[in-house]
Amino acid sequence: MEIILFIAKFGLAFIPLSCIAIMIFLERKGASIIQDRVGPNRAAIKIPGIGSVRGFGMIHNISDSVKLFFKEDFLPKHAHKWYYILAPMLPLMTAILTPALIPWFAPISLEGVEVSGAIINANSGLLMLFALGALSVYGVVIGSWASHNKYSLLGGMRASAMMISYEVSMGLSVVGLLLLIGSFNMTDIVEWQAANAWGVVVQPVGCLLFIVSMFAETGRTPFCVSEGESEIVGGFHTEYSSIRFALFFMGEYAHIVIASALIATLFFGGYHLPGLNTEVIHAHTAGVLAGLLAVKALMLALFCLMTTRQKKLYGALKASDKAVRLKEYSLFQIIFGGGALVAVLIAAVLMFIPMDGLLSELLTAAIQISIVMAKTMFFCWVFVWVRWTVPRFRYDHIMALGWKVMLNVALVNLVITAIVYKLLIETGVISG
Amino acid sequence: MKVQHSNGDTLDLMTVNMGPSHPATHGALRIFAALDGEDVTAAACEMGYLHRGFEKMVEQGTFNMVLPYTDRLNYCSSMMNNVGFCKAAEKMFGVTVPERCQLLRVIVSELSRIIDHLVCLAANLVDLGALTNYWYLFNPREEVYKIWEKLCGARLTNTFSRIGGLYRDAYPGFEGEVLNVLKSIETGVADVRALIDTNRIFIDRTRDVCPVSGEDATAWGWTGPCLRASGVDYDLRKAEPYYGYDTFEWDTVIGTTGDTYDRIMVRAYEIVESVSIVRQAVDRLRPGPVDSDDTRVSLPPKQLVYHDMEALINQFKLVYEGVRPPVGECYDGCEAANGELGFFIVSDGGTNPYKIKVRPPCLTQFAAFADMIEGYQVADVFATLGSINIIAGELDR
């Protein structure tokens, strides 16, 4: 039983990998929404009997990845071969490793076996997460050095300097929270939040600092100086092409997913929702599931409405491929509308299925995984949102912000937290 | 690269070629920089990668054949270059164009100025990493291009003016479309201003970056928005008014320190002023002729050509030979989007120009660029390069 579960939990390692595809879609479509344009909508696949389907630009992911796989894998003569090949693997590797430490659901007991929500329920969980997260910069630094290109070198220098600076404030920003919780174990951290209050409530400043540090860690705009496409051409990946370039990007996107999951876990209650702690879900599994399915049905109905609107707009246009596209829209209407109905039906049926121990345990875990994923996706969207809103920092401004502002604020936050916490214990408001 | 500093220190510098092919050079320029870490210690700039021999080419054709070449000077505001050349050529002839022609030229000039500034701002903000602004500014620009298509049939290299008049009168409904476009321009600029005005990152990255004092700017021979950003109140539209610019109600926009922030903001506010000028000009548009009645430059009316021998000969001479300016030299400039666009024309009395020398506005700005960026950072180089709006087509000619 334990072995089967252990293997099953390995599936969680693929969460960031599968989220990369969603992230790319989210990024491109999010950008097009923010930038007042249509976005990717050209790539289509022909399904026999149904016709050409574009999937709101989702097909672009497939065509892009196929393109990147089959492009010439160029290895510059002047590059250091082995490091050049090794570098793109590192960020993705660390990003795939990290979800092993994030608790995706509350510990459950299956036939007497305690199963933790994280693949590795280590007591040093958070430290390991930070250690793994910090490793990803090696890919950038090694890649830039091995490329033997001046722009790459500049990008690598910026990346390493930024990583070192922000690693400090990132570590310090969570110390306040850890002081209150008293554990590095990720499950303990979430359980404490479920029992008391979310991290963002008790440590608002720490939360803000942590989110900003996470932007720096992932090297996203406004901290994208290591890439800085208008300044230093492509930064660290100037010399990279085809799938190696894609690996860097998959690493970046996987890192965003991990960073979002971390923000959600450390400061936004992880798998906990107010009023929906593990016991409640466990006691009313069918009801909660039905509620979630109702939300799902509502969303699908909204999608159906959106498709209907688009179909109407498209129908009013002059276009050569009108028949094909209208057929596609009808297909989406059926899928979304039907999906909504099916969700409602399942929700109704669920009410009459008795939830015994094992099924209830597993469904509770599934519900909690979806809660974590929902929060993670929200923060992924924040990453996209910020990227298309603000300009890029200048390198020295990032350093000044990191060392002169964030580090000091984090320290002051820590000291104030410690003093207030001590005073509260002394006065007996809370028990230590 | 080890170099000896004048104060005796030994510096270990890294030389970097930025350009000619670089994402932020917008065209083909080369900045050869010696970097001390991220700081630019010394720089040398090179131009000429887009040299097409404009000044030699135009000697091969007639005066009217020069016009399409002028489109390729500043290809972000082609219409304005036509107006500039026609203005210089008309000065040679001593021709004054009719009121309607002047107003239409003002409208296309100011719309060109607006789209040029939109491109400059958009590209500059992209160089700063703020990509979204690009679409907010390019969407209204696209609408202006739709008007250009209707006016003259071309999208990029539009030629609308002719010596002594225009290609043709504006199409019906032109005024309404222009006024609509102005609205979307105002919306686009307001959206961008909302994104950048109070954005700390933007302000930090542009304020006090590569400032140029008013004296320096004048000494370098700067004109246009960059000069005004340095605090010098000089605008050819006010200094030597043409086409009734003095009768419109508008203000010149003046900066204070001449840094990158001022250069960006002067452009942003000049768009607002240009919008106001276009509104006033559209208001004053009355039906009337657009070509001058001077037979040396304008075709006679078709009715006359069919019935009058002199008119027929006139048409024949103008079409087969072209216009013949009097012998002499003439310089005339207009306030183009980047600054003073001047044409020095030498005529030997023939149909082809003997020599045309262009005074491109961004040449002087690019000449100063190497001095401007020394001591600043790599990121500042491109923030500044965007703000002085180098258009390689006009720079190299």
Side-chain angles (χ1 to χ4, degrees):
Chain A
M1 190 68 199
E2 207 171 351
I3 306 251
I4 296 169
L5 270 167
F6 191 68
I7 293 166
K9 280 203 293 188
F10 262 112
L12 295 174
F14 292 95
I15 286 179
L17 266 187
S18 47
C19 281
I20 292 169
I22 301 170
M23 262 314 287
I24 294 171
F25 172 75
L26 194 71
E27 177 107 300
R28 304 177 92 179
K29 220 58 187 175
S32 69
I33 291 167
I34 292 173
Q35 294 170 348
D36 194 11
R37 60 190 173 90
V38 180
N41 71 343
R42 296 286 143 158
I45 45 168
K46 281 209 172 69
I47 302 171
I50 294 173
S52 126
V53 174
R54 297 174 302 173
F56 303 100
M58 281 274 200
I59 307 300
H60 272 263
N61 283 351
I62 301 169
S63 53
D64 279 352
S65 47
V66 168
K67 179 197 78 174
L68 285 167
F69 263 110
F70 288 101
K71 268 174 95 166
E72 187 194 349
D73 185 12
F74 185 71
L75 200 143
K77 264 243 169 74
H78 51 73
H80 189 296
K81 197 175 168 195
W82 290 111
Y83 289 142
Y84 183 83
I85 292 169
L86 174 74
M89 302 176 187
L90 290 174
L92 192 62
M93 194 186 76
T94 52
I96 293 173
L97 281 175
T98 32
L101 292 149
I102 290 171
W104 298 95
F105 50 86
I108 52 175
S109 77
L110 295 174
E111 298 173 347
V113 182
E114 274 288 319
V115 181
S116 66
I119 300 173
I120 309 163
N121 191 26
N123 278 335
S124 57
L126 190 60
L127 291 181
M128 275 175 80
L129 266 175
F130 283 177
L132 281 173
L135 273 182
S136 69
V137 78
Y138 279 90
V140 173
V141 173
I142 292 173
S144 63
W145 184 257
S147 298
H148 206 278
N149 174 314
K150 285 169 180 172
Y151 287 118
S152 300
L153 186 66
L154 277 175
M157 260 166 44
R158 288 174 172 193
S160 45
M162 194 170 77
M163 186 64 73
I164 292 165
S165 327
Y166 280 81
E167 205 64 37
V168 178
S169 49
M170 184 185 74
L172 274 174
S173 65
V174 288
V175 172
L177 189 72
L178 295 173
L179 199 72
L180 302 176
I181 297 169
S183 171
F184 282 120
N185 188 314
M186 292 298 280
T187 314
D188 288 355
I189 292 172
V190 178
E191 287 299 326
W192 186 89
Q193 291 183 68
N196 299 289
W198 281 9
V200 66
V201 180
V202 289
Q203 283 284 306
V205 180
C207 176
L208 189 68
L209 291 174
F210 187 75
I211 292 174
V212 175
S213 307
M214 271 301 157
F215 273 86
E217 285 278 296
T218 50
R220 290 280 292 187
T221 314
F223 296 94
C224 58
V225 286
S226 58
E227 199 187 315
E229 84 273 340
S230 58
E231 297 156 18
I232 48 172
V233 191
F236 61 92
H237 59 65
T238 307
E239 294 285 349
Y240 280 89
S241 61
S242 81
I243 195 67
R244 288 194 222 291
F245 167 79
L247 276 176
F248 267 126
F249 263 77
M250 283 159 74
E252 187 190 316
Y253 283 122
H255 209 140
I256 292 165
V257 177
I258 296 302
S260 310
L262 260 181
I263 296 168
T265 311
L266 286 177
F267 290 98
F268 290 85
Y271 49 71
H272 169 259
L273 275 182
L276 267 189
N277 56 28
T278 317
E279 289 74 40
V280 174
I281 300 177
H282 198 70
H284 311 95
T285 317
V288 174
L289 207 54
L292 280 181
L293 280 168
V295 174
K296 175 119 185 134
L298 188 72
M299 280 164 72
L300 284 170
L302 280 176
F303 272 128
C304 188
L305 204 72
M306 183 186 90
T307 321
T308 314
R309 212 175 130 250
Q310 280 185 351
K311 189 181 175 185
K312 211 168 126 195
L313 285 173
Y314 203 84
L317 289 175
K318 278 184 214 154
S320 54
D321 58 346
K322 209 164 168 179
V324 184
R325 293 290 151 246
L326 289 182
K327 205 173 158 190
E328 188 197 353
Y329 282 129
S330 312
L331 177 73
F332 288 140
Q333 275 178 318
I334 294 165
I335 291 176
F336 291 138
L341 283 179
V342 169
V344 171
L345 276 178
I346 295 176
V349 170
L350 272 175
M351 292 301 185
F352 302 101
I353 296 177
M355 293 284 172
D356 64 330
L358 185 68
L359 188 63
S360 170
E361 292 275 6
L362 286 176
L363 282 176
T364 308
I367 290 169
Q368 287 181 333
I369 291 176
S370 50
I371 291 174
V372 181
M373 282 314 295
K375 288 179 183 176
T376 305
M377 275 340 283
F378 172 76
F379 286 105
C380 285
W381 166 248
V382 173
F383 273 87
V384 172
W385 191 2
V386 170
R387 172 168 185 188
W388 300 118
T389 309
V390 292
R392 186 185 309 119
F393 272 114
R394 203 172 74 190
Y395 168 70
D396 61 325
H397 291 155
I398 288 189
M399 289 296 130
L401 180 71
W403 290 107
K404 291 182 185 161
V405 181
M406 288 191 37
L407 183 62
N408 297 345
V409 174
L411 277 171
V412 170
N413 180 45
L414 174 61
V415 170
I416 290 174
T417 309
I419 293 171
V420 170
Y421 187 51
K422 182 73 182 164
L423 282 177
L424 287 177
I425 291 173
E426 290 286 312
T427 51
V429 180
I430 52 169
S431 59
Chain B
M1 188 177 82
K2 292 257 192 300
V3 291
Q4 192 88 27
H5 194 270
S6 51
N7 63 15
D9 297 349
T10 312
L11 295 172
D12 194 2
L13 302 180
M14 178 169 86
T15 53
V16 176
N17 265 313
M18 300 175 193
S21 297
H22 186 284
T25 47
H26 311 302
L29 321 161
R30 176 164 164 247
I31 302 154
F32 184 64
L35 304 181
D36 182 13
E38 286 272 332
D39 298 323
V40 178
T41 315
C45 298
E46 197 182 333
M47 53 174 269
Y49 291 93
L50 212 66
H51 182 65
R52 294 150 303 167
F54 169 86
E55 286 167 12
K56 198 70 200 163
M57 268 196 298
V58 295
E59 291 168 16
Q60 313 302 319
T62 62
F63 270 90
N64 265 324
M65 286 180 187
V66 178
L67 277 168
Y69 287 127
T70 59
D71 301 339
R72 276 89 175 157
L73 287 176
N74 183 347
Y75 38 74
C76 290
S77 51
S78 304
M79 296 273 208
M80 231 168 177
N81 307 333
N82 306 153
V83 172
F85 176 73
C86 291
K87 186 168 165 274
E90 280 152 16
K91 188 177 174 189
M92 257 200 128
F93 281 103
V95 174
T96 315
V97 289
E99 169 84 10
R100 184 171 169 83
C101 174
Q102 290 189 7
L103 284 172
L104 281 172
R105 280 186 182 180
V106 166
I107 292 170
V108 296
S109 291
E110 292 309 311
L111 278 177
S112 298
R113 187 186 315 282
I114 290 168
I115 58 172
D116 193 278
H117 285 355
L118 288 179
V119 174
C120 175
L121 286 179
N124 200 350
L125 289 167
V126 168
D127 291 347
L128 290 169
L131 208 61
T132 298
N133 303 294
Y134 189 84
W135 279 271
Y136 291 171
L137 295 175
F138 262 55
N139 285 348
R141 176 178 179 267
E142 177 59 31
E143 291 177 36
V144 177
Y145 269 82
K146 282 189 181 137
I147 294 182
W148 278 185
E149 271 181 272
K150 285 189 184 175
L151 271 184
C152 60
R155 271 185 63 87
L156 181 68
T157 48
N158 349 73
T159 328
F160 190 51
S161 296
R162 297 288 185 272
I163 297 169
L166 296 172
Y167 166 43
R168 60 182 174 202
D169 202 350
Y171 57 90
F174 170 75
E175 291 90 340
E177 282 184 17
V178 168
L179 292 177
N180 279 339
V181 157
L182 295 181
K183 262 182 224 144
S184 53
I185 288 168
E186 280 174 333
T187 320
V189 175
D191 283 348
V192 169
R193 294 280 306 279
L195 272 173
I196 62 171
D197 260 8
T198 53
N199 190 321
R200 183 65 190 274
I201 302 174
F202 169 77
I203 293 171
D204 279 354
R205 282 215 47 192
T206 52
R207 195 161 276 174
D208 294 327
V209 167
C210 303
V212 176
S213 67
E215 294 85 61
D216 283 352
T218 322
W220 279 108
W222 282 20
T223 48
C226 294
L227 175 71
R228 293 194 283 277
S230 300
V232 181
D233 189 356
Y234 177 74
D235 190 322
L236 272 184
R237 291 172 291 172
K238 283 243 197 263
E240 295 167 24
Y242 53 96
Y243 299 154
Y245 268 115
D246 47 342
T247 58
F248 296 113
E249 220 167 277
W250 61 283
D251 298 315
T252 45
V253 184
I254 309 291
T256 47
T257 53
D259 53 9
T260 300
Y261 181 84
D262 277 356
R263 283 189 285 268
I264 291 174
M265 282 304 162
V266 162
R267 284 201 166 82
Y269 280 98
E270 274 193 8
I271 291 174
V272 178
E273 294 301 325
S274 292
V275 165
S276 135
I277 296 177
V278 176
R279 285 228 168 88
Q280 295 170 46
V282 169
D283 222 33
R284 289 189 201 171
L285 264 188
R286 297 284 175 273
V290 291
D291 289 332
S292 76
D293 47 11
D294 194 311
T295 49
R296 287 174 302 163
V297 289
S298 300
L299 294 176
K302 267 281 179 283
Q303 218 59 37
L304 267 180
V305 175
Y306 287 135
H307 300 107
D308 185 33
M309 191 60 192
E310 271 69 45
L312 181 63
I313 293 170
N314 189 2
Q315 158 120 2
F316 182 81
K317 292 284 251 183
L318 278 179
V319 172
Y320 270 74
E321 287 179 358
V323 296
R324 282 174 185 275
V327 181
E329 301 174 352
C330 166
Y331 174 84
D332 200 15
C334 75
E335 182 73 23
N338 266 345
E340 179 175 345
L341 174 69
F343 289 91
F344 179 69
I345 305 174
V346 182
S347 168
D348 57 358
T351 52
N352 293 10
Y354 181 78
K355 167 79 187 167
I356 292 181
K357 171 85 182 78
V358 183
R359 185 227 179 266
C362 60
L363 178 68
T364 50
Q365 288 145 31
F366 192 60
F369 188 61
D371 281 9
M372 283 164 72
I373 59 175
E374 273 170 26
Y376 291 90
Q377 297 205 346
V378 177
D380 297 334
V381 171
F382 295 107
T384 308
L385 185 63
S387 76
I388 60 173
N389 196 16
I390 301 298
I391 307 283
E394 159 186 276
L395 181 68
D396 298 344
R397 302 186 299 289

